[in-house]
Amino acid sequence: MGPDQQVVGNVIDGSSDVRDQVERMSLDLDATAFDRLDDPAVGALRDQHRGLRPELFSTPFEAACWSVLTQRTSMRRASTMRRELCQRGGHRFELGGHEWWTFPPPASIIQTRSLPGATSTQIDRLTSVARAALDGLLDPGPIRRTASSEALERLRSIDGIGPFGCELIYVRGAGAPDHFPRNEPRLRAHMTTLYDLDEPSVDQLAEIAERWAPFRAWARLLIRLVDPL
């Protein structure tokens, strides 16, 4: 997308911060420096997938809920539970001839007493996440403006959010562009293949990832496209 081009969309019952939310989802950053990264492997992937930017959750709150829903269960079951939550408390709309639902707000999640496929622990943790959102701990602006170590520590204080969940919220919820996830096993597998490594440590991979700054999260997406087998 050139400097004279625009992203145009229709807002359905949107809030006043809809522009900020849309921009945060990988549209508020100048990607010029991304084209100058000094890493041939990432550069080749970038050129192969020109224009691809990280896929983000609509809010850090939704990312946190997804982290809870995926705990000790399959992605398929987690997706079913998410859909049930959306249909219960989200806003229904039509797009392209199909029905869709927005993710429900924290106040709706707090009212959840049961959910098909969810354990009582997951329900308790969803409630904890919703209360944290109402307390402002999951506001995207403050999260992105805070140093990664401090931001992750604050997110870790939310009951039910572990190391993987913290990074999921920080990178794919708040949209932090320059964080290398240290708790993502699949990323480690993909990097091992891409760089032809032999059981590298997380620290070794983090050192390689320094080449991708200030777009480590963007490079992470490209590397996840590599077949690890």
Side-chain angles (χ1 to χ4, degrees), residues 97-211:
H98 297 280
E99 287 185 320
W100 303 89
W101 286 265
T102 61
F103 196 76
S108 174
I109 297 294
I110 286 178
Q111 301 303 317
T112 302
R113 298 292 178 265
S114 64
L115 183 67
T119 65
S120 59
T121 298
Q122 284 176 307
I123 298 297
D124 290 341
R125 289 176 176 177
L126 285 173
T127 300
S128 175
V129 166
R131 295 193 185 283
L134 292 174
D135 289 340
L137 291 178
L138 292 171
D139 290 349
I143 292 176
R144 284 188 62 167
R145 290 192 296 269
T146 304
S148 61
S149 57
E150 183 179 348
L152 293 172
E153 183 177 355
R154 291 180 183 177
L155 294 171
R156 186 68 178 86
S157 69
I158 302 173
D159 183 40
I161 300 299
F164 176 84
C166 290
E167 293 188 316
L168 180 74
I169 297 166
Y170 186 58
V171 173
R172 293 189 55 204
D178 192 33
H179 177 74
F180 174 71
R182 299 178 65 92
N183 297 282
E184 190 175 331
R186 291 183 181 180
L187 175 61
R188 297 200 294 270
H190 285 256
M191 288 184 68
T192 297
T193 297
L194 180 64
Y195 293 98
D196 193 23
L197 303 173
D198 183 18
E199 298 184 359
S201 67
V202 176
D203 286 340
Q204 288 175 310
L205 296 179
E207 184 176 352
I208 291 174
E210 290 180 5
R211 308 172 191 169

Side-chain angles (χ1 to χ4, degrees), residues 30-144:
D30 183 348
T32 303
F34 191 53
D35 284 335
R36 298 197 296 266
L37 295 187
D38 187 19
D39 186 313
V42 170
L45 290 171
R46 178 200 58 219
D47 294 341
Q48 182 180 351
H49 303 279
R50 177 63 62 177
L52 181 63
R53 295 193 178 196
E55 75 290 10
L56 303 182
F57 289 92
S58 60
T59 62
F61 169 60
E62 182 182 353
C65 288
W66 178 249
S67 173
V68 171
L69 292 175
T70 55
Q71 292 173 2
R72 299 182 181 277
T73 191
S74 67
M75 300 292 279
R76 182 176 180 179
R77 176 173 289 186
S79 295
T80 299
M81 291 189 287
R82 179 192 178 280
R83 183 168 58 251
E84 176 70 18
L85 284 175
C86 291
Q87 292 176 348
R88 286 185 187 183
H91 176 81
R92 177 189 172 280
F93 63 98
E94 292 187 7
L95 182 65
H98 297 280
E99 287 185 320
W100 303 89
W101 286 265
T102 61
F103 196 76
S108 174
I109 297 294
I110 286 178
Q111 301 303 317
T112 302
R113 298 292 178 265
S114 64
L115 183 67
T119 65
S120 59
T121 298
Q122 284 176 307
I123 298 297
D124 290 341
R125 289 176 176 177
L126 285 173
T127 300
S128 175
V129 166
R131 295 193 185 283
L134 292 174
D135 289 340
L137 291 178
L138 292 171
D139 290 349
I143 292 176
R144 284 188 62 167

